[in-house]
Amino acid sequence: MDYILIGNSGHARVIRDCIEANGDRIFAILDDKDAIPSMDGDIFRGPLSEMSRLLEIDHRRVILAYSDNGVRKQLVDFLQLPSEKYGIVIHPKAVVSHYSEIGSGSVVLPGAVVNSGAVIGKHCILNSQSVVEHESVLKDYVHVSTGASITREVVVETGVSLGANSTIIPNRTIGEWSVVGAGSAVIADLPAGCTAVGCPAKILDKED
């Protein structure tokens, strides 16, 4: 499989490692900072305007190489590509159950675990050593940071960011576009759009 990465950040380099670990190839890296098309070895570099031309070849797939959930959603809305044009990148050292589901555009980094019955939405990031336990559901554009643990039967709504080494106990719901701080332990449902930190996690007031 040939991949086109959108973005040239540090996160893009991590995704590149995953793609190459699977024996696949980076065909192009597109970023509007590269206004003039050029070749970097075997990799084409250029602006986003090159996208439609490069996707004329059926076996090429796109990955959005930005860690920010909102940026990934903005790009999906802007590009208007069909879901099948996005790839799924799973590092060979991740543990992903055959009985789980991974949505298009999602990335699973080394050491991550996705157990049986888990459902991962589109354009999600599961960072190194993160865990998604059985029957948990992550909606689209979720970012699970390094070492975060989502226990069984948890629902993580669209756009949520879970900080490094945070934990969600079973049967909880995390509202859309909320943020859970690093090292926090979520023991109650969280509403949409909040920021929660601590052990147990408490919702910060806007003044904080």
Side-chain angles (χ1 to χ4, degrees):
M1 183 70 70
D2 286 352
Y3 284 90
I4 299 170
L5 295 187
I6 307 299
N8 193 22
S9 62
H11 184 60
R13 291 190 285 275
V14 172
I15 294 174
R16 180 175 177 174
D17 285 343
C18 290
I19 289 170
E20 292 175 348
N22 282 314
D24 293 320
R25 183 172 77 124
I26 304 295
F27 176 78
I29 298 174
L30 301 184
D31 192 310
D32 284 342
K33 294 177 184 177
D34 297 320
I36 301 174
S38 63
M39 294 299 297
D40 181 4
D42 293 333
I43 299 174
F44 175 86
R45 293 181 181 270
L48 276 176
S49 58
E50 296 284 338
M51 172 69 73
S52 58
R53 181 179 69 81
L54 297 179
L55 281 177
E56 290 174 358
I57 305 300
D58 285 343
H59 67 267
R60 293 174 184 161
R61 294 295 180 267
V62 174
I63 292 290
L64 304 178
Y66 289 93
S67 59
D68 185 283
N69 299 340
V71 170
R72 293 199 306 284
K73 185 179 188 306
Q74 288 172 1
L75 282 167
V76 168
D77 293 343
F78 172 75
L79 294 171
Q80 293 291 300
L81 296 175
S83 290
E84 60 267 21
K85 287 295 185 182
Y86 290 102
I88 299 171
V89 178
I90 301 173
H91 194 279
K93 291 187 178 179
V95 179
V96 178
S97 169
H98 292 294
Y99 302 104
S100 63
E101 298 178 23
I102 309 289
S104 61
S106 289
V107 177
V108 184
L109 298 182
V113 176
V114 182
N115 275 326
S116 181
V119 177
I120 311 300
K122 298 176 183 178
H123 305 287
C124 292
I125 300 169
L126 302 186
N127 258 296
S128 304
Q129 310 303 323
S130 60
V131 176
V132 182
E133 277 294 352
H134 60 92
E135 279 74 51
S136 284
V137 175
L138 277 61
K139 303 291 181 68
D140 301 341
Y141 309 108
V142 169
H143 187 164
V144 183
S145 294
T146 303
S149 295
I150 299 168
T151 58
R152 61 177 172 82
E153 299 175 14
V154 170
V155 176
V156 181
E157 298 285 358
T158 299
V160 169
S161 292
L162 300 180
N165 296 310
S166 58
T167 301
I168 316 298
I169 71 166
N171 302 109
R172 296 298 181 264
T173 297
I174 311 301
E176 63 182 10
W177 300 103
S178 58
V179 176
V180 175
S184 299
V186 177
I187 64 172
D189 293 350
L190 294 179
C194 75
T195 297
V197 298
C199 188
K202 295 182 179 181
I203 297 172
L204 294 178
D205 294 332
K206 290 186 178 179
E207 296 79 41
D208 295 338

